[in-house]
Amino acid sequence: VMITYKLPENFHVAVYYRRQEEERKDMIRHENRYIIESGWKKGLVKDSALDIRIQGEIRRFVETPESNSFRLRMRFRLKTKVSIGDLIINPFIATEPFWVTKTKSLSRNRFYFGAEFPLNKNIGFVLNYIREDNKNKEPIHILNSGFKLNF
């Protein structure tokens, strides 16, 4: 569940709740996330923009309350628009470091690149690669696809 409010000067604020279930070897871990977000977007040159998003997450774990924490996420993203005949492609590149207050460290960084292919005014198909680096672990490589809905 997410509520977003657009502010003047290309700013926005949002609050939302997310429930996540993760299968572990010996249990299913349930997590409740309470998130507040703020962001800013600025056009750079024709059809290109930089946006910055900051999120504060309160993370509550049902089975392991000792794991509860607060983390900050900051995403920096560059986007542009490319036309090839009638085909429109919106490529992007981004990085998103995660700061965890419990460990007082950067615990994760995500690096993204990919593109959105608009299907109509409100729907786009997104295809991207994510490399996730976690502290003291091997990198995770993700090929991601989905639909972006704008209403």
Side-chain angles (χ1 to χ4, degrees), residues 97-111:
F98 291 62
W99 175 267
V100 178
T101 57
K102 189 173 187 170
T103 60
K104 296 180 177 66
S105 66
L106 286 172
S107 63
R108 174 181 297 166
N109 186 63
R110 288 184 181 150
F111 171 75

Side-chain angles (χ1 to χ4, degrees), residues 49-82:
L50 167 68
D51 67 77
I52 299 170
R53 180 187 73 191
I54 301 169
Q55 289 182 340
E57 295 181 338
I58 297 170
R59 303 178 72 203
R60 299 283 185 203
F61 297 93
V62 175
E63 292 80 13
T64 56
E66 66 277 3
S67 299
N68 292 348
S69 65
F70 178 79
R71 74 178 176 190
L72 293 170
R73 299 167 61 170
M74 182 177 266
R75 183 189 70 198
F76 301 91
R77 180 173 62 182
L78 286 169
K79 294 170 50 173
T80 193
K81 180 179 176 180
V82 177

Side-chain angles (χ1 to χ4, degrees), residues 7-125:
L7 300 168
E9 306 296 327
N10 300 321
F11 283 94
H12 78 271
V13 293
V15 292
Y16 56 103
Y17 167 78
R18 180 181 197 177
R19 171 90 172 173
Q20 183 170 319
E21 295 182 1
E22 179 183 350
E23 283 191 44
R24 296 277 176 120
K25 293 177 186 172
D26 55 346
M27 70 174 179
I28 296 176
R29 185 168 82 164
H30 299 88
E31 177 185 359
N32 296 299
R33 291 187 193 174
Y34 306 92
I35 303 164
I36 186 165
E37 172 182 303
S38 181
W40 171 79
K41 184 177 181 179
K42 176 69 174 165
L44 300 174
V45 295
K46 184 181 178 191
D47 295 329
S48 294
L50 167 68
D51 67 77
I52 299 170
R53 180 187 73 191
I54 301 169
Q55 289 182 340
E57 295 181 338
I58 297 170
R59 303 178 72 203
R60 299 283 185 203
F61 297 93
V62 175
E63 292 80 13
T64 56
E66 66 277 3
S67 299
N68 292 348
S69 65
F70 178 79
R71 74 178 176 190
L72 293 170
R73 299 167 61 170
M74 182 177 266
R75 183 189 70 198
F76 301 91
R77 180 173 62 182
L78 286 169
K79 294 170 50 173
T80 193
K81 180 179 176 180
V82 177
S83 296
I84 304 170
D86 291 339
L87 178 65
I88 296 173
I89 303 170
N90 299 317
F92 60 86
I93 186 168
T95 187
E96 183 178 22
F98 291 62
W99 175 267
V100 178
T101 57
K102 189 173 187 170
T103 60
K104 296 180 177 66
S105 66
L106 286 172
S107 63
R108 174 181 297 166
N109 186 63
R110 288 184 181 150
F111 171 75
Y112 309 72
F113 70 87
E116 176 190 346
F117 303 88
L119 303 175
N120 64 33
K121 182 178 126 185
N122 297 325
I123 302 172
F125 176 72

